[in-house]
Short mmCIF file of all heavy atoms in Angstrom, two decimals:
data_model
loop_
_atom_site.label_atom_id
_atom_site.label_comp_id
_atom_site.label_asym_id
_atom_site.label_seq_id
_atom_site.Cartn_x
_atom_site.Cartn_y
_atom_site.Cartn_z
N ASN A 1 -25.10 1.21 4.27
CA ASN A 1 -24.76 -0.18 4.10
C ASN A 1 -24.63 -0.52 2.61
O ASN A 1 -23.81 -1.37 2.23
CB ASN A 1 -25.84 -1.07 4.74
CG ASN A 1 -25.64 -1.15 6.27
OD1 ASN A 1 -24.59 -1.56 6.73
ND2 ASN A 1 -26.63 -0.70 6.96
N ALA A 2 -25.43 0.10 1.76
CA ALA A 2 -25.35 -0.16 0.32
C ALA A 2 -24.01 0.26 -0.20
O ALA A 2 -23.44 -0.43 -1.06
CB ALA A 2 -26.47 0.59 -0.40
N SER A 3 -23.49 1.36 0.26
CA SER A 3 -22.15 1.77 -0.15
C SER A 3 -21.11 0.81 0.18
O SER A 3 -20.16 0.55 -0.59
CB SER A 3 -21.82 3.17 0.37
OG SER A 3 -21.65 3.11 1.79
N VAL A 4 -21.22 0.19 1.33
CA VAL A 4 -20.26 -0.85 1.74
C VAL A 4 -20.45 -2.04 0.82
O VAL A 4 -19.48 -2.63 0.33
CB VAL A 4 -20.51 -1.25 3.23
CG1 VAL A 4 -19.61 -2.43 3.55
CG2 VAL A 4 -20.24 -0.11 4.13
N ASP A 5 -21.72 -2.40 0.52
CA ASP A 5 -21.99 -3.57 -0.29
C ASP A 5 -21.41 -3.40 -1.72
O ASP A 5 -20.88 -4.29 -2.31
CB ASP A 5 -23.48 -3.84 -0.38
CG ASP A 5 -24.03 -4.39 0.90
OD1 ASP A 5 -23.27 -5.00 1.65
OD2 ASP A 5 -25.22 -4.16 1.12
N GLU A 6 -21.51 -2.17 -2.27
CA GLU A 6 -21.08 -1.93 -3.61
C GLU A 6 -19.54 -1.89 -3.69
O GLU A 6 -18.95 -2.04 -4.77
CB GLU A 6 -21.66 -0.61 -4.14
CG GLU A 6 -23.15 -0.62 -4.28
CD GLU A 6 -23.63 -1.61 -5.35
OE1 GLU A 6 -22.92 -1.78 -6.37
OE2 GLU A 6 -24.68 -2.23 -5.20
N SER A 7 -18.92 -1.63 -2.61
CA SER A 7 -17.45 -1.38 -2.66
C SER A 7 -16.68 -2.68 -2.88
O SER A 7 -15.55 -2.64 -3.30
CB SER A 7 -16.97 -0.73 -1.35
OG SER A 7 -17.13 -1.64 -0.26
N GLY A 8 -17.29 -3.83 -2.49
CA GLY A 8 -16.57 -5.08 -2.59
C GLY A 8 -15.66 -5.40 -1.48
O GLY A 8 -14.91 -6.33 -1.52
N SER A 9 -15.73 -4.59 -0.42
CA SER A 9 -14.85 -4.84 0.76
C SER A 9 -15.61 -5.65 1.80
O SER A 9 -16.77 -5.92 1.65
CB SER A 9 -14.36 -3.52 1.38
OG SER A 9 -15.49 -2.79 1.80
N THR A 10 -14.92 -5.99 2.87
CA THR A 10 -15.61 -6.72 3.97
C THR A 10 -15.84 -5.82 5.14
O THR A 10 -14.92 -5.18 5.62
CB THR A 10 -14.67 -7.88 4.42
OG1 THR A 10 -14.37 -8.71 3.32
CG2 THR A 10 -15.34 -8.72 5.47
N SER A 11 -17.11 -5.71 5.52
CA SER A 11 -17.42 -4.93 6.68
C SER A 11 -16.98 -5.60 7.94
O SER A 11 -16.87 -6.81 7.94
CB SER A 11 -18.90 -4.63 6.72
OG SER A 11 -19.64 -5.87 6.81
N PRO A 12 -16.68 -4.85 9.04
CA PRO A 12 -16.28 -5.47 10.28
C PRO A 12 -17.25 -6.54 10.74
O PRO A 12 -18.43 -6.30 10.93
CB PRO A 12 -16.24 -4.30 11.29
CG PRO A 12 -16.10 -3.07 10.41
CD PRO A 12 -16.82 -3.39 9.14
N GLY A 13 -16.76 -7.76 10.91
CA GLY A 13 -17.56 -8.85 11.39
C GLY A 13 -18.43 -9.48 10.33
O GLY A 13 -19.17 -10.43 10.57
N GLY A 14 -18.43 -8.93 9.10
CA GLY A 14 -19.26 -9.44 8.05
C GLY A 14 -18.61 -10.51 7.17
O GLY A 14 -17.55 -10.99 7.49
N LEU A 15 -19.29 -10.83 6.09
CA LEU A 15 -18.77 -11.88 5.20
C LEU A 15 -17.96 -11.22 4.09
O LEU A 15 -18.21 -10.08 3.70
CB LEU A 15 -19.92 -12.67 4.63
CG LEU A 15 -20.85 -13.35 5.63
CD1 LEU A 15 -21.94 -14.12 4.93
CD2 LEU A 15 -20.06 -14.34 6.57
N LYS A 16 -17.00 -11.98 3.58
CA LYS A 16 -16.11 -11.48 2.58
C LYS A 16 -16.77 -11.43 1.22
O LYS A 16 -17.40 -12.37 0.78
CB LYS A 16 -14.84 -12.38 2.51
CG LYS A 16 -13.71 -11.75 1.69
CD LYS A 16 -12.49 -12.64 1.79
CE LYS A 16 -11.31 -12.07 1.06
NZ LYS A 16 -10.11 -12.93 1.17
N LYS A 17 -16.61 -10.30 0.47
CA LYS A 17 -17.24 -10.10 -0.81
C LYS A 17 -16.37 -10.64 -1.89
O LYS A 17 -15.42 -9.99 -2.34
CB LYS A 17 -17.59 -8.62 -1.02
CG LYS A 17 -18.62 -8.14 -0.06
CD LYS A 17 -18.95 -6.68 -0.37
CE LYS A 17 -20.11 -6.23 0.51
NZ LYS A 17 -21.31 -7.06 0.35
N VAL A 18 -16.60 -11.85 -2.35
CA VAL A 18 -15.74 -12.50 -3.35
C VAL A 18 -16.52 -13.01 -4.54
O VAL A 18 -15.93 -13.55 -5.46
CB VAL A 18 -14.94 -13.64 -2.69
CG1 VAL A 18 -14.02 -13.13 -1.62
CG2 VAL A 18 -15.93 -14.66 -2.11
N ILE A 19 -17.86 -12.81 -4.57
CA ILE A 19 -18.66 -13.42 -5.62
C ILE A 19 -18.86 -12.42 -6.75
O ILE A 19 -19.43 -11.35 -6.56
CB ILE A 19 -20.01 -13.88 -5.10
CG1 ILE A 19 -19.86 -14.85 -3.93
CG2 ILE A 19 -20.85 -14.54 -6.19
CD1 ILE A 19 -21.16 -15.29 -3.31
N THR A 20 -18.35 -12.75 -7.93
CA THR A 20 -18.47 -11.95 -9.14
C THR A 20 -19.69 -12.38 -9.92
O THR A 20 -20.31 -13.41 -9.63
CB THR A 20 -17.24 -12.01 -9.96
OG1 THR A 20 -17.01 -13.34 -10.35
CG2 THR A 20 -16.01 -11.56 -9.18
N GLY A 21 -20.00 -11.67 -11.01
CA GLY A 21 -21.12 -12.03 -11.87
C GLY A 21 -21.04 -13.44 -12.41
O GLY A 21 -21.99 -14.20 -12.32
N PRO A 22 -19.90 -13.80 -13.07
CA PRO A 22 -19.77 -15.17 -13.55
C PRO A 22 -19.95 -16.26 -12.52
O PRO A 22 -20.51 -17.32 -12.74
CB PRO A 22 -18.36 -15.19 -14.18
CG PRO A 22 -18.12 -13.77 -14.56
CD PRO A 22 -18.76 -12.95 -13.42
N LEU A 23 -19.35 -15.99 -11.33
CA LEU A 23 -19.48 -16.98 -10.23
C LEU A 23 -20.93 -17.13 -9.81
O LEU A 23 -21.42 -18.21 -9.53
CB LEU A 23 -18.59 -16.58 -9.08
CG LEU A 23 -17.13 -17.02 -9.08
CD1 LEU A 23 -16.41 -16.52 -7.83
CD2 LEU A 23 -16.96 -18.50 -9.20
N LEU A 24 -21.67 -15.98 -9.68
CA LEU A 24 -23.06 -16.04 -9.29
C LEU A 24 -23.90 -16.74 -10.34
O LEU A 24 -24.78 -17.53 -10.01
CB LEU A 24 -23.58 -14.60 -9.04
CG LEU A 24 -24.99 -14.54 -8.51
CD1 LEU A 24 -25.10 -15.23 -7.15
CD2 LEU A 24 -25.43 -13.09 -8.41
N PHE A 25 -23.69 -16.46 -11.65
CA PHE A 25 -24.34 -17.11 -12.71
C PHE A 25 -24.14 -18.62 -12.62
O PHE A 25 -25.04 -19.44 -12.74
CB PHE A 25 -23.86 -16.57 -14.06
CG PHE A 25 -24.43 -17.27 -15.27
CD1 PHE A 25 -25.69 -16.97 -15.73
CD2 PHE A 25 -23.75 -18.31 -15.86
CE1 PHE A 25 -26.22 -17.61 -16.84
CE2 PHE A 25 -24.25 -18.93 -17.00
CZ PHE A 25 -25.51 -18.62 -17.46
N ALA A 26 -22.85 -19.01 -12.45
CA ALA A 26 -22.53 -20.43 -12.33
C ALA A 26 -23.19 -21.03 -11.10
O ALA A 26 -23.60 -22.16 -11.14
CB ALA A 26 -21.05 -20.63 -12.30
N PHE A 27 -23.24 -20.29 -10.02
CA PHE A 27 -23.84 -20.76 -8.81
C PHE A 27 -25.32 -21.14 -9.05
O PHE A 27 -25.78 -22.22 -8.74
CB PHE A 27 -23.80 -19.69 -7.76
CG PHE A 27 -24.36 -20.02 -6.38
CD1 PHE A 27 -23.56 -20.43 -5.35
CD2 PHE A 27 -25.73 -20.01 -6.14
CE1 PHE A 27 -24.08 -20.79 -4.10
CE2 PHE A 27 -26.27 -20.35 -4.92
CZ PHE A 27 -25.43 -20.71 -3.89
N ILE A 28 -26.06 -20.26 -9.73
CA ILE A 28 -27.47 -20.48 -9.91
C ILE A 28 -27.69 -21.59 -11.00
O ILE A 28 -28.52 -22.48 -10.78
CB ILE A 28 -28.20 -19.19 -10.38
CG1 ILE A 28 -27.98 -18.08 -9.35
CG2 ILE A 28 -29.69 -19.43 -10.57
CD1 ILE A 28 -28.50 -16.74 -9.78
N VAL A 29 -26.94 -21.56 -12.09
CA VAL A 29 -27.02 -22.58 -13.11
C VAL A 29 -26.67 -23.92 -12.52
O VAL A 29 -27.38 -24.92 -12.70
CB VAL A 29 -26.17 -22.26 -14.29
CG1 VAL A 29 -26.08 -23.45 -15.26
CG2 VAL A 29 -26.70 -21.05 -15.08
N GLY A 30 -25.56 -23.97 -11.78
CA GLY A 30 -25.11 -25.25 -11.22
C GLY A 30 -26.12 -25.80 -10.19
O GLY A 30 -26.42 -27.00 -10.20
N ASP A 31 -26.67 -24.92 -9.39
CA ASP A 31 -27.60 -25.31 -8.37
C ASP A 31 -28.87 -25.84 -9.04
O ASP A 31 -29.49 -26.88 -8.70
CB ASP A 31 -27.93 -24.16 -7.46
CG ASP A 31 -28.60 -24.64 -6.16
OD1 ASP A 31 -28.74 -25.85 -5.95
OD2 ASP A 31 -28.95 -23.76 -5.35
#
């Protein structure tokens, strides 16, 4: 599962991997 997580792809039935470092930083700072 970690290999799937690191790949940046979407696993079947899972959530789409679209959050990059700057977006995550902004998410936490903004929140």
Side-chain angles (χ1 to χ4, degrees):
N1 282 300
S3 66
V4 174
D5 287 335
E6 295 294 325
S7 69
S9 63
T10 304
S11 59
L15 303 179
K16 192 174 182 181
K17 294 184 174 300
V18 295
I19 303 177
T20 60
L23 276 179
L24 184 61
F25 174 83
F27 182 99
I28 303 174
V29 169
D31 198 3

